Amino acid sequence: MSDSGKGRGRLVADRRYSKSKAPAKAGKKPVRRKTASKKTVRKRTSTRRRNPIVAFVIGIFAWIWRLFWRLTFRIGIVVVLLLALSVGYFYTKLPDIDALLDGRARGSVTLMDRNGDVFAWRGDQFGGVVTADSVSPHLKNAVVATEDKRFYWHPGIDPRGIAGAVRINLSEGRGPLSGHGGSTLSQQTAKLLCLGVEYDSTQWKDEAEYVQDCRRGSLARKLKEAVYALAMEVKFTKDEILSIYLNRAYLGGGAYGAEAASQRYFGKPASALNASEAAMIAGLLTAPTTLSPTNNLERSQNRAGVVLGLMQDQGYLTKAEADRARANPAVLSEAAEAKAGGYFADWVMDSGPDFFTRKTSEDVIIRTTLDQRLQKAAEDAMVAVFSEKVREGSKAQAAIVVMSSDGAVRAMVGGRKIRVTGAFNRATQALRQVGSAFKPFIYATALELGHSPYDTVVDEPLTLDIPGSGKWSPQNYTRTFQGRVTLIEALKKSLNIPAVKISESVGRENVIRVAEDFGFGNNIANTPAMALGSSESTLLEMTGAYAGILNGGSSVTPYGLVELRLQGETETLMDSGGGIGERVIREEAAKQLIFMMEKVVSEGSGRRARLEGREAAGKTGTTQAARDAWFVGFTADYVAGVWMGYDDNTPLTGVTGGGLPAEIWRETMERVHSGLPARPLPMIIPEPPRAAPAPQPAPQRQQQQRRPTVLQQLLQDLLGGN
């Protein structure tokens, strides 16, 4: 059949396929495609129709998911916008960095000794502004390694750190936000800034309450802290934030900031810290008061060892450098070891005006009279006597004051615990009966009125009728009587009855006037018992009164403050308020009294205070029932006073002024005078009275010649003669 072009229709087989699925050309094997069978299609269709509940549930979940996603997306946008607005708000409130470096609510007081060396600090010490670049690299690295190792990588908050902190808290049985907080350095700095809330004395009871409120750890507070940290990250660089932290962090011992802590503990600037010193300061950030090296140096060194390990792990130190730092742990400077000046610093702070000392808002420099060598001498003497000569477990206390003859206090120990701050000062605060230590003022009055040290008084039983009190019979300590004695012997042996007799003879009013003019100013009772030291005084006053005897009879006002000025200024705002005052007794009388008091030490009741190769004078004192024991005395160079007793007035056992107090005095003065040439006391040795001449026969008057009797004439003729 010929192809005429008609009948272009396709075969039935051809119609089964589309053009794209036409049968393969000849010579090629057709590819067979799998198609779903009618059975499968029917099965699927029937399944959908048979499980409408499943389809409904799936649809519900799909709808919820779409709704949740839409809400989350929208809420996220709102949260981001609110966060951005909050960050922007705090950003606008943040001041320039210079205003954030010193955040103290009050100022500081730096105390210097007589040589200009710093020995104590008080108040909130701020050593000066430092930056992350100006401090020692070791300190910068130690702080980052200890507090926030990802500081330079996070935007202000660290989700990884927070998650880790929550995990640790839960594993230790605490709440997720209790204990470890996961705070970054930026967040800690925000907390130090109190989230921009400044101290207001009208709103807060005191600074402590303000700080406590700033340290609250509620969830809302944490969220605000995070926002504030983000704002800081936007406004400041990482090193600027670290600089704020290094200047505001409290590091124990009253030191705020790295510079103050470096000077406080090591006597050097923060730029000069070595690895072990930097690790110790960084270690304080966890618990500045507990870990302070002035409280427990060993514990602080152990914490520094942990910090050195962190620095090594994070690559800031090689193993060799870390090992070398551990082998040479940081030690305190001499000033730091002095425990902030102890009793002396407290006394000076109390003696100055509040607005320049305890409540100062400025940084103040005070130059004092303290001699650190003498202070150590007094402390060592106290320790030596109590460790060697006082029974273990005794609660007896003692105090020591050393001063120059013009009243300049050179050393002060207010109790057996020698390196304390804020403790009860028995040298300045304890009013105690003085006993026989009062007697020199009686003899000073007698000498001033013209009596001689060689004048005599009878030591014998004495009874006085005191109006309103009845009869009073004083007794000597030995319960014996010495008969007639000189004033020298009466003072040397501390006899009570001669002291009462002399006091009554020269007039109690005169004795009181002399004692008060010398500085004994605590309402001396005008009774005969005054002569036995029934009145009270402080050790500082008594030592000052004896200084007046040494300087030739002029009163002194004990003082410790020499000058006060503001830090960075040269103008003096306050000078010394003490020193030598008006004359009380004649110089001759004072020098005669020194001679008599020298006999107390060399021959009398104060022999245990004798110094080898050096003249010394003084007086013992023991009160009724031995509740107080004193020894106050001097050399040509220094005056020192010692008191011993119990705080609750329990009587001392076997202790008198000539015993342990005299030994503490001797131990102190031997150390005080170490290396000093021996100088004689400024005393007058009076001429003893000439011995009374032997009775001479009265000159015979020339008798008139009388005629001898008959018997006389007979004898004269027999015996011969003229």
Side-chain angles (χ1 to χ4, degrees), residues 78 98 128 138 186 224 282 300 337 418 424 426 430 468 485 492 500 529 559 563 590 597 626 632-633 647 663 717:
V78 172
D98 292 341
H138 292 304
S186 301
K224 187 177 179 182
S300 187
E337 286 183 343
I418 57 177
F424 180 68
R426 296 161 188 84
V485 293
K492 180 174 70 175
V500 173
Y559 68 100
E563 68 173 13
M597 295 171 69
V632 188
D647 289 336
E663 293 193 26
D717 292 340

Side-chain angles (χ1 to χ4, degrees), residues 350-488:
D350 288 339
S351 65
D354 277 355
F355 55 85
F356 276 139
T357 53
R358 295 176 295 280
K359 297 180 181 179
T360 179
S361 59
E362 304 286 346
D363 290 323
V364 175
I365 305 293
I366 297 178
R367 188 162 62 88
T368 73
T369 59
L370 181 72
D371 188 315
Q372 294 196 63
R373 184 184 72 82
L374 272 58
Q375 178 68 28
K376 187 175 186 304
E379 293 172 353
D380 290 349
M382 178 80 79
V383 171
V385 172
F386 271 89
S387 62
E388 297 172 6
K389 300 186 178 182
V390 177
R391 62 179 174 81
E392 187 175 353
S394 171
K395 296 182 184 285
Q397 284 289 346
I400 305 171
V401 172
V402 180
M403 69 173 63
S404 302
S405 62
D406 64 349
V409 178
R410 303 301 184 191
M412 179 181 290
V413 182
R416 288 174 61 179
K417 291 184 178 180
I418 57 177
R419 293 184 177 179
V420 293
T421 299
F424 180 68
N425 190 340
R426 296 161 188 84
T428 62
Q429 296 174 294
L431 280 170
R432 309 294 297 222
Q433 284 191 340
V434 297
S436 294
F438 183 81
K439 289 175 180 174
F441 306 118
I442 298 172
Y443 292 92
T445 307
L447 295 171
E448 174 67 9
L449 293 177
H451 287 274
S452 164
Y454 286 102
D455 286 351
T456 60
V457 60
V458 179
D459 179 26
E460 59 187 354
L462 176 67
T463 298
L464 298 177
D465 192 0
I466 302 175
S469 298
K471 296 185 181 299
W472 177 63
S473 300
Q475 296 289 329
N476 291 325
Y477 181 77
T478 60
R479 306 288 178 175
T480 61
F481 305 98
Q482 302 293 314
R484 184 169 293 278
V485 293
T486 64
L487 303 190
I488 299 171

